[in-house]
Amino acid sequence: MTARPKMSLNARKAEGLAYFLAFMACIPLANWMIGHVGVSCVPGSGVPCLLPVLPWSPQGGPLMAPSGVLMIGIALVLRDLVQRRLGRVAALLAIVAGAVLSGAVAPPQLVLASTTAFFLSELADFAVYTPLQKRGLVIAVLASSVVGLIADSLLFLYLAFGSLEFLEGQIVGKTWMVLLALPIVQWIRTREGVGAVAD
């Protein structure tokens, strides 16, 4: 039985750059979606566009969430993959750059909420992912993403709207995106070979 070859340094960096660019793209897309994509949407009203994330809710009818949650769930996973390929310093730079971009593209009334929630939730994700990554990529991504998505949901809703009305929907919507990404994360883990964690 032959050992699986390790991923080359150049391939790891190229893949890390692709993850970084995808991570950065999630931010303006999430901010655009929250004002333009949803089954319940009144652009310019100050109320976020909503999408169903479960077919039922405690109040009856589907559980709804602001549509941007889909991209934020993916962003949490992509940040972990940036760190996996490019290291901790690159991951911290990605968090800072993402927070700046989040504030720059957010609607004026959401700048503080968007920037603060993004920055602190990604730092929480980083703090959980970093010690777990050498134990297993999938468990590290799952655990860190859950912590990050809860922090993001609480902070964003409270700062943006002064209400946690959509908290359950935010958490469920982001969790769906993390769970959908896990098979891809597992595929990455199985093909990368041993010793593919960047410092």
Side-chain angles (χ1 to χ4, degrees):
M1 180 184 234
T2 59
R4 184 183 291 115
K6 292 181 183 178
M7 180 178 262
S8 74
L9 185 59
N10 288 340
R12 281 177 53 199
K13 285 186 177 180
E15 199 170 287
L17 180 59
Y19 294 144
F20 177 84
L21 294 174
F23 171 74
M24 297 303 285
C26 285
I27 299 159
L29 190 51
N31 279 290
W32 178 81
M33 286 177 69
I34 204 166
H36 297 89
V37 176
V39 296
S40 169
C41 194
V42 183
S45 68
V47 177
C49 296
L50 303 175
L51 288 173
V53 293
L54 276 180
W56 64 90
S57 72
Q59 296 79 28
L63 183 62
M64 305 296 279
S67 57
V69 302
L70 303 180
M71 290 298 103
I72 298 305
I74 293 171
L76 289 163
V77 173
L78 287 168
R79 198 226 49 87
D80 292 344
L81 296 176
V82 168
Q83 183 172 344
R84 181 85 174 178
R85 288 291 180 260
L86 301 179
R88 285 175 275 201
V89 172
L92 289 170
L93 289 173
I95 291 169
V96 172
V100 171
L101 180 59
S102 184
V105 301
Q109 68 274 22
L110 299 180
V111 169
L112 176 65
S114 183
T115 305
T116 304
F118 182 89
F119 183 72
L120 294 178
S121 66
E122 291 290 343
L123 281 179
D125 178 276
F126 177 86
V128 174
Y129 177 82
T130 300
L132 292 179
Q133 70 173 327
K134 294 192 182 203
R135 295 185 182 194
L137 178 59
V138 174
I139 191 67
V141 168
L142 179 60
S144 63
S145 295
V146 166
V147 169
L149 69 86
I150 291 171
D152 182 76
S153 299
L154 286 167
L155 288 165
F156 181 76
L157 289 173
Y158 181 76
L159 293 172
F161 307 110
S163 163
L164 299 179
E165 179 184 355
F166 297 113
L167 180 61
E168 297 91 348
Q170 285 244 353
I171 290 172
V172 170
K174 291 171 190 171
T175 301
W176 277 124
M177 299 313 291
V178 170
L179 292 175
L180 288 171
L182 287 182
I184 297 168
V185 171
Q186 179 59 38
W187 175 76
I188 289 167
R189 178 68 186 94
T190 57
R191 77 179 178 85
E192 71 185 358
V194 179
V197 180
D199 292 325

